Amino acid sequence: MATAATGYDVIVIGLGGMGSAAAYHLAARGQRVLGVDRFAPAHDRGSSHGGSRIIRQSYFEDPGYVPLLLRSYGLWEQLAADSGREVFRLTGGLYLGPPDCTTVAGSLRASREWSLPHEVLDAAEIRRRFPNLDPDPGHIGIYEAKGGFARPESTVRAHIELALRAGATLTFGEQVHGWSEDGDGVTVTTARATYRADQLVICPGAWAPQLLSQFGIPITVERNVLYWLDPIGGTTAFEDQPIFIAENETGAQMYGFPAIDGPAGGVKTAFFRQGIECTPETIDRVVHPQEIAEMRARVRELVPALDGPAVHTATCMYSNTPDHHFVVARHPDAARVTIACGFSGHGFKFVPVVGEILADLAIEAKTAHPIALFDPRRLVTA
């Protein structure tokens, strides 16, 4: 096995959404960066694919995320300008269900706490303004004009291109076998070589249980399915629809997008966290007819015209922490190692700001961004 040059400041393992952003932000600050990924750029084997990911600011998960979202929105704009790519689009966002459900009550709480522009709509007003949607009479919606979607593959490619332009060395198709830390730096061993650097950033996605096993961070990997359904009457009526997240009385959430892939592209929809536990090696990549039938049955309750055949399906993996909050930190037990994992199905909208945070942590060992919520020590039991 050949040994690579040791002249790197930071090695980044994993070049999906978070890792590619970290590589870019590090290289843009003058760091000598090596990025390593086992797959080709913008691949579909992990969690940074599927054509679209929701972005929003009225954050029902926890109002503590909102400052990061505000910064992330600015970085989305910068990334689009610097790369010349459409990496995001604002369509408006509608979050609906019973008034006391997590999706509605949590979105309203975040909007009020951070004075985010929003509207509260009853079911009749939702039907009037968004004729594709037919909510139950007692349901309401929180509408924010700044909801929309990011394009994950374009985002990864944009960060990779900008990282390379800033001088990073990025290698693909190279599997990491292991890493270690000592008093002088870090060592990363791959199928091709052994690399040395001062710092290590690990963005492992669904491979977190293997690459971070020594830290005892409990992460489970979950298979989720994405569906593109052919609307009754065609996609034209769905072109200007906002993204939506809908919760029913049982607490089950689903979400959907406008028609963004042309007349033959269907309309994307999916359940949120309704998958089964898996690993990257055991995930079932086949989407079965019964799964499509279940998605159609649920979505027709809210969007009757979307009860059409599937024109495309795909699988992806969520990497879930027990509390569904992220892990983004310099690990207290490994002074030269920064980790970003456990994004629990809602992390992609934070990709630009997480890249900035990881660069802060790797270079300065601290960040001005509020990330106490993401400390891994909350999850590690004695």
Side-chain angles (χ1 to χ4, degrees):
M1 177 183 292
T3 300
T6 59
Y8 296 110
D9 297 314
V10 187
I11 297 173
V12 179
I13 296 177
L15 294 171
M18 304 304 176
S20 63
Y24 162 61
H25 281 279
L26 286 161
R29 298 189 200 180
Q31 298 293 294
R32 296 166 297 174
V33 176
L34 171 67
V36 184
D37 197 290
R38 67 187 296 170
F39 298 111
H43 61 82
D44 64 355
R45 301 287 89 186
S47 305
S48 297
H49 62 281
S52 56
R53 288 288 187 275
I54 285 175
I55 59 173
R56 53 193 167 91
Q57 295 182 353
S58 300
Y59 219 61
F60 60 77
E61 288 83 351
D62 192 304
Y65 285 88
V66 174
L68 297 176
L69 287 163
L70 297 176
R71 175 58 178 162
S72 198
Y73 266 58
L75 291 172
W76 280 115
E77 294 176 356
Q78 181 180 328
L79 180 63
D82 292 345
S83 68
R85 289 180 173 271
E86 185 195 49
V87 292
F88 80 104
R89 187 190 306 174
L90 298 184
T91 63
L94 183 65
Y95 321 122
L96 64 164
D100 60 349
C101 74
T102 298
T103 303
V104 173
S107 297
L108 187 58
R109 175 189 171 199
S111 296
R112 288 173 172 170
E113 186 168 320
W114 290 97
S115 300
L116 301 174
H118 67 282
E119 301 174 70
V120 180
L121 309 178
D122 63 19
E125 182 66 6
I126 292 169
R127 292 189 200 97
R128 187 187 71 79
R129 288 177 56 175
F130 310 109
N132 291 327
L133 304 180
D134 185 24
D136 289 348
H139 289 192
I140 66 171
I142 309 301
Y143 177 79
E144 66 167 341
K146 288 200 170 181
F149 64 89
R151 288 197 174 273
E153 291 90 346
S154 290
T155 298
V156 172
R157 292 189 181 102
H159 277 133
I160 287 172
E161 291 165 1
L162 292 174
L164 291 169
R165 192 183 305 171
T169 299
L170 307 180
T171 176
F172 296 92
E174 186 167 357
Q175 184 175 352
V176 172
H177 290 327
W179 61 270
S180 61
E181 178 196 33
D182 56 48
D184 297 320
V186 294
T187 300
V188 173
T189 304
T190 76
R192 297 180 192 169
T194 299
Y195 302 102
R196 289 280 296 174
D198 295 327
Q199 296 285 330
L200 176 62
V201 174
I202 306 177
C203 302
W207 287 264
Q210 296 97 308
L211 283 172
L212 299 176
S213 59
Q214 62 268 60
F215 291 138
I217 299 170
I219 292 178
T220 58
V221 179
E222 177 185 316
R223 171 187 178 270
N224 282 270
V225 181
L226 313 174
Y227 306 83
W228 287 258
L229 303 179
D230 189 17
I232 299 168
T235 58
T236 300
F238 286 82
E239 291 176 356
D240 294 325
Q241 178 175 285
I243 60 96
F244 69 85
I245 303 172
E247 183 174 339
N248 63 18
E249 279 74 11
T250 71
Q253 293 171 304
M254 69 169 178
Y255 60 94
F257 295 83
I260 63 175
D261 297 317
V267 174
K268 182 182 171 184
T269 187
F271 293 114
F272 184 56
R273 289 204 199 101
Q274 196 167 308
I276 59 174
E277 191 170 331
C278 68
T279 70
E281 292 73 33
T282 63
I283 181 174
D284 182 2
R285 299 276 181 189
V286 176
V287 178
H288 302 279
Q290 180 60 32
E291 294 178 298
I292 297 172
E294 290 172 357
M295 186 74 253
R296 290 179 63 181
R298 173 67 180 96
V299 78
R300 79 166 66 101
E301 297 173 0
L302 176 65
V303 194
L306 205 48
D307 183 20
V311 297
H312 177 55
T313 58
T315 59
C316 72
M317 291 179 285
Y318 289 0
S319 303
N320 298 321
T321 62
D323 61 8
H324 294 151
H325 294 308
F326 310 157
V327 172
V328 181
R330 271 247 191 162
H331 202 284
D333 297 329
R336 295 180 180 271
V337 180
T338 301
I339 54 178
C341 60
F343 289 96
S344 303
H346 64 111
F348 200 88
K349 61 188 70 64
F350 297 90
V351 157
V353 72
V354 169
E356 185 173 70
I357 291 167
L358 294 175
D360 290 344
L361 295 175
I363 298 170
E364 305 291 341
K366 61 183 179 180
T367 181
H369 291 294
I371 62 169
L373 185 61
F374 310 143
D375 191 325
R377 288 174 292 188
R378 76 187 193 276
L379 301 172
V380 180
T381 58

